[in-house]
Amino acid sequence: MGDTELHAAADVRAALAAAADPARAAGAAAFFKTGPGGYAERDVFIGVAVPATRSIVRRSLSLPAGDVAELVASPIHEERLAGLLVMVERFRRAGRARTRDDAARAAEHERYLDAVRTGRVDNWDLVDATAEVLLGEVAFPSAPVDEVEPAIVAGLVASDSLWSRRVAVISTFAAIKAGDPRPTLAVAERLLDDPEPLLHKAVGWMLREVGKRVDRGALTGFLDEHAARMPRTMLSYATEHLDPAERARYRAMR
């Protein structure tokens, strides 16, 4: 039934298959660029809506770690997403004040890093649903942060993998939410010349959040220094919420 707890990867796969929609799968395959030469070439969608996936995940939190890893290693996108979201939810629950379990959080964090390094976190939605929590909340647990660019984040920024670099960028959202813009600015500066449009969007988004949530002056100071060399999409995202005249001024600097 819809609220029955799921105890194995096979149960999760069956629940996802029951919620699958071929028409939605075709649309997702096109939207996520799975065709030849696309950034998600050969990814496989079965057409499960994200809310339905999250509902299944809530029934799957007692899965053994090996079963979660099995889902994360799946060729099916929604199965990878489900496995990763189980990790996110278990990490969050282990961080609750009354029942805090730092060992459990560390275990989920390490499993996530393994998934990133082995190429399992390989689309922007998978990154964006996980990096802030499973990397960012470990790398940037408070503000001001102890290290502006911890070694694990720096290593991902330098990776040849587009998705690892996006993980690094999105992880800094945790620092933004903690009130410290410096990690985002440091990572953004290192990625100004990145060739990938999906990185331009991610960096611009995080810069925009710096200006909205923490310090508008930190954003405009970064733009004063770097707008002329920023890729067009990055600059567009970063300046979205500035007033029209200021936005136009920065965009004219390119």
Side-chain angles (χ1 to χ4, degrees), residues 146-227:
D146 294 330
E147 293 182 84
V148 173
E149 196 173 358
I152 181 56
V153 175
L156 293 172
V157 172
S159 171
D160 291 336
S161 164
L162 155 65
W163 305 117
S164 291
R165 299 197 303 278
R166 187 166 175 122
V167 166
V169 175
I170 301 301
S171 78
T172 70
F173 210 169
I176 292 170
K177 290 182 177 180
D180 193 335
R182 294 175 301 155
T184 301
L185 300 180
V187 170
E189 186 170 9
R190 289 186 60 192
L191 292 172
L192 286 172
D193 298 319
D194 196 282
E196 294 288 350
L198 284 171
L199 260 294
H200 302 169
K201 292 178 180 179
V203 172
W205 170 26
M206 290 299 101
L207 288 171
R208 182 187 72 204
E209 295 302 315
V210 164
K212 285 175 58 181
R213 294 172 180 262
V214 185
D215 186 346
R216 186 176 177 279
L219 170 61
T220 57
F222 185 90
L223 294 172
D224 289 339
E225 184 174 357
H226 299 297

Side-chain angles (χ1 to χ4, degrees), residues 102-115:
D102 288 331
R105 283 164 60 89
E108 298 298 345
H109 168 68
E110 290 300 328
R111 292 181 188 119
Y112 179 66
L113 292 181
D114 181 67

Side-chain angles (χ1 to χ4, degrees), residues 6-234:
L6 305 176
H7 297 286
D11 300 332
V12 177
R13 286 197 299 271
L16 289 168
D21 176 353
R24 182 182 292 275
F31 181 72
F32 284 97
K33 311 296 184 189
T34 64
Y39 59 75
E41 186 175 358
R42 294 187 296 276
D43 203 352
V44 177
F45 287 82
I46 59 174
V48 185
V50 172
T53 301
R54 289 187 179 277
S55 178
I56 291 166
V57 164
R58 288 192 291 271
R59 298 158 53 202
S60 308
L61 299 182
S62 64
L63 285 181
D67 288 68
V68 177
E70 183 180 332
L71 292 171
V72 173
S74 172
I76 295 174
H77 187 97
E78 291 92 341
E79 292 183 8
R80 296 200 304 285
L81 177 60
L84 290 165
L85 290 177
V86 168
M87 294 164 63
V88 168
E89 186 58 27
R90 295 207 297 210
F91 181 94
R92 283 175 165 157
R93 292 189 179 201
R96 290 176 178 170
R98 288 188 177 183
T99 57
R100 187 175 180 89
D101 186 340
D102 288 331
R105 283 164 60 89
E108 298 298 345
H109 168 68
E110 290 300 328
R111 292 181 188 119
Y112 179 66
L113 292 181
D114 181 67
V116 171
R117 289 166 175 151
T118 56
R120 309 300 190 186
V121 187
D122 59 352
N123 214 317
W124 60 263
D125 63 320
L126 304 182
V127 173
D128 295 0
T130 59
E132 175 196 338
V133 176
L134 291 171
L135 174 57
E137 291 188 13
V138 175
F140 311 112
S142 62
V145 300
D146 294 330
E147 293 182 84
V148 173
E149 196 173 358
I152 181 56
V153 175
L156 293 172
V157 172
S159 171
D160 291 336
S161 164
L162 155 65
W163 305 117
S164 291
R165 299 197 303 278
R166 187 166 175 122
V167 166
V169 175
I170 301 301
S171 78
T172 70
F173 210 169
I176 292 170
K177 290 182 177 180
D180 193 335
R182 294 175 301 155
T184 301
L185 300 180
V187 170
E189 186 170 9
R190 289 186 60 192
L191 292 172
L192 286 172
D193 298 319
D194 196 282
E196 294 288 350
L198 284 171
L199 260 294
H200 302 169
K201 292 178 180 179
V203 172
W205 170 26
M206 290 299 101
L207 288 171
R208 182 187 72 204
E209 295 302 315
V210 164
K212 285 175 58 181
R213 294 172 180 262
V214 185
D215 186 346
R216 186 176 177 279
L219 170 61
T220 57
F222 185 90
L223 294 172
D224 289 339
E225 184 174 357
H226 299 297
R229 93 182 246 216
M230 289 171 69
R232 188 177 303 277
T233 299
M234 186 187 297

